[in-house]
Amino acid sequence: MKKVQSTCNVCSLACNLDFYVENEQIVKVIPTPHYPVNKGFSCIKGISLDKQNTKFKPSPLPKIRNVKGEMQETTWEEAYDYVAKKLLEIKETYGGDSIAAISTGQLPLEEMALFSHVMRNFLRGHVDGNTRLCMATSVVAHKQSFGFDAPPYTLNDFELSDTIFLIGANPIVTHPIIWSRIRNNPNKKVIVIDPRRSETAQRSDYHYALNGKTDIYLFYGLAYILIEKDYLDHNYIEAHTENFQGFKDLVAEYTPDVVAKETGLSIESLYEMAGLIHTGERVSFWWTMGVNQGYEAVRTAQSIINLALMTGNMGRPGTGANSITGQCNAMGSRVFSNTAGLYGGGDYDNLVRRKAVCEALQITDEQLINKPTLPYNAIIEKINSGEIKALWIVSTNPRHSWTNNTTFQEALEKLELFIVQDIYDDTHTSQDAGVFFPVVSGLKKTGTYINTERRLSAMRPVLSKAEHEKTDLEVFLGVGKALGMGSLLDLWQTPEAIFELMKKCSKGMPCDITGITYKALEGSAGIQWPFREGETLEEDERRLFEDGNYYTPSKKAKFMFDKIMDNPLPTTAEFPYILNTGRDTVGQWHTQVRSREIGVAEDAYAAQAYIYIHPELAKEKGIKENEIFEVASINGRTSRFAARITENVTVNQLYAPMHYIETNNLTPSLYDPFSKEPSYKTTPINIYKIVGEC
Ligand SMILES: Nc1nc2c(c(=O)[nH]1)N[C@H]1C(S)=C(S)[C@@H](COP(=O)(O)OP(=O)(O)OC[C@H]3O[C@@H](n4cnc5c(=O)[nH]c(N)nc54)[C@H](O)[C@@H]3O)O[C@H]1N2
Ligand SMILES: Nc1nc2c(c(=O)[nH]1)N[C@H]1C(S)=C(S)[C@@H](COP(=O)(O)OP(=O)(O)OC[C@H]3O[C@@H](n4cnc5c(=O)[nH]c(N)nc54)[C@H](O)[C@@H]3O)O[C@H]1N2
Ligand code: SF4
Ligand SMILES: [Mo]
């Protein structure tokens, strides 16, 4: 029996798993005992990866929609030629700006890098990722505050912290390995800030159920109290930060009275929280989607960073302002996708960085794309307005996951070329494709993932490819060749070769990986960036900013802040309730196309979309458990859900799992001004009992 250690390509822990294989069949999956992330544990999604592409599996040949509107199988060569010809025609007629793609945080970094080389460097198109829906806020917050997109922690900090703030994060459901690390910590206090009594809130020491999207008031208010009480680390502020005075002046406005009124929390609880920060010796602040997905999200994330800076809770074991990522390779897409920033980081107009990247890739400055991609929302808007004519979707399901998702459906009708590349041909998005590229899953691929704590790990093929089967990398190479890229692809032929290119691009950057080799990653404990050529690895767990130096020109972290804006989409008399959305159970993954193959989990979920509602509101509306009722959103659309009655939501707030397409039918086209991340979590709605239908 062969054993292959590979990476779980589902969530951002990127656990390692040992796959035992006999006669091209996975016999068992055992979480890798020595891997420092999951230490012999995994969740049901990882342990069930052997089920992927078993119950549902497309034919390995590509399909093109024929004149009758039917999908017709063809050969790979024909499909590459067809797509290349169309892309070149569109580019010729309307320019590179008329071509766009949406990629993912779920592919190995080598595949993302090559995809951008074809789509951005060669075709001069736009490529954004589903990470825009997820991590864009943290990216901008880190860049502005720290000078680079650098989550500073190691997962061990969960075990070393005495005071753990979880803000808009529900790790019991979303990052179970993180929760197991928290449980391993005997000395912790867990404080959850979430408008909902989430699974994690239920098991916390303190739960503060603030009004949705008022976190920024809370954190400015806590800063106010910390200043008032002089619970500050003056030495740290002086030595390692910039513009504290400006921040101090601003938060003077956010008195406990104001903050209590906005957040719905009591003044006592604000002082209690400030006291917890003060008495904690190793205080860590962790945030996820409850913070990132909002109309004022970047400044909210930075209000958390500011608290850590002013109390000196940075760079020491068990501390930090720490954003947890979502998808297995969100970090890889952030630094190596050449979409919002250059490979390895840096801006498109930074001549020093351009030169370094050109040298690494052996291309000229003219051949390297010269501007960041249009963000996701602008891509959809420009398809709808007729400026973008071709769209290629890779490893994401936007017909379901995009905010106000009917606008995606409307956009499709305007496209001249719509390609979908997925491991399933029956997703909501695949079904509308003009061209469908079926690809193999991670079980048959080679590549590198970077997890939430910046740890690179190896994905290695567990099973062999069957006849006609292709990896994403092979498809990108096939289309690139058909486009006539010629020698521009010479250095990009294998994952290992591409990894070497990315290493060169990273040289001298905060994410420097020049010391890592493919061989060193294989069967290893993973390696966190930075890891420079010539360095030796002394510890498995490394955090950033231990020396108090940041990546800004002054080496100091910046206090970033603004006056708090008015909610652009408040509740109204017509839409008096709030729709909150997010994950529901450990077994459900996003749009459920992958997790539906986990038999035991799938059997446990309703096929009908459901929504959580408080008993008082349900009673007032005459709605019973499991009764289907209508939800009308301020975006002008309605969906139907079955009622799940629970006191875990407040009376005026309902919670709909994002795992059902009905949910994003209701979310608005509203984004953070800096990150353009959608505001998925607070939509004004109304609800109606259905009468007179049978
Ligand atoms: N089982 C499972 N695990 C997953 C995923 C999955 O689909 N299924 N997805 C992965 C991905 S890509 C991601 S990004 C992560 C997401 O991980 P999380 O962010 O932990 O998950 P969510 O359920 O989206 O949101 C977390 C919480 O934010 C709260 N929230 C809503 N509004 C606010 C607010 O205004 N303030 C605060 N403080 N909290 C608020 C919600 O009530 C919810 O409990 O999970 C990853 N892990
Ligand atoms: N209302 C609401 N909406 C949300 C969120 C929310 O909290 N609330 N969260 C947002 C967030 S954080 C995220 S990350 C997004 C996630 O949204 P999506 O990215 O749309 O969700 P997934 O279901 O993970 O889709 C991934 C697709 O990739 C395919 N796939 C898997 N492996 C491979 C592969 O190797 N190659 C290829 N080509 N395809 C592959 C899968 O079959 C699947 O179709 O949803 C966002 N939408
Ligand atoms: S916690 Fe995440 S990475 Fe680990 S097994 Fe589960 S889904 Fe995979
Ligand atoms: Mo995400």
Side-chain angles (χ1 to χ4, degrees), residues 574-586:
E574 198 185 341
F575 300 103
Y577 310 113
I578 294 282
L579 172 71
N580 179 5
T581 69
R583 280 83 191 150
D584 199 32
T585 65
V586 172

Side-chain angles (χ1 to χ4, degrees), residues 593-612:
V593 287
R594 290 178 82 188
S595 46
R596 67 185 162 159
E597 299 212 71
I598 310 173
V600 272
E602 180 64 4
D603 293 347
Y605 310 129
Q608 163 68 41
Y610 54 91
I611 191 166
Y612 293 97

Side-chain angles (χ1 to χ4, degrees), residues 608-610 628-631 638-642 662 690 693:
Q608 163 68 41
Y610 54 91
I628 292 178
F629 66 100
E630 193 154 275
V631 179
T638 55
S639 289
R640 290 182 173 194
F641 296 90
E662 286 83 350
I690 297 168
E693 277 182 27

Side-chain angles (χ1 to χ4, degrees), residues 342-364:
L342 288 165
Y343 293 126
D347 295 331
Y348 289 93
D349 55 3
N350 178 332
L351 296 181
V352 180
R353 279 301 293 150
R354 290 189 71 79
K355 190 159 179 278
V357 173
C358 285
E359 275 174 18
L361 306 181
Q362 295 181 29
I363 57 175
T364 63

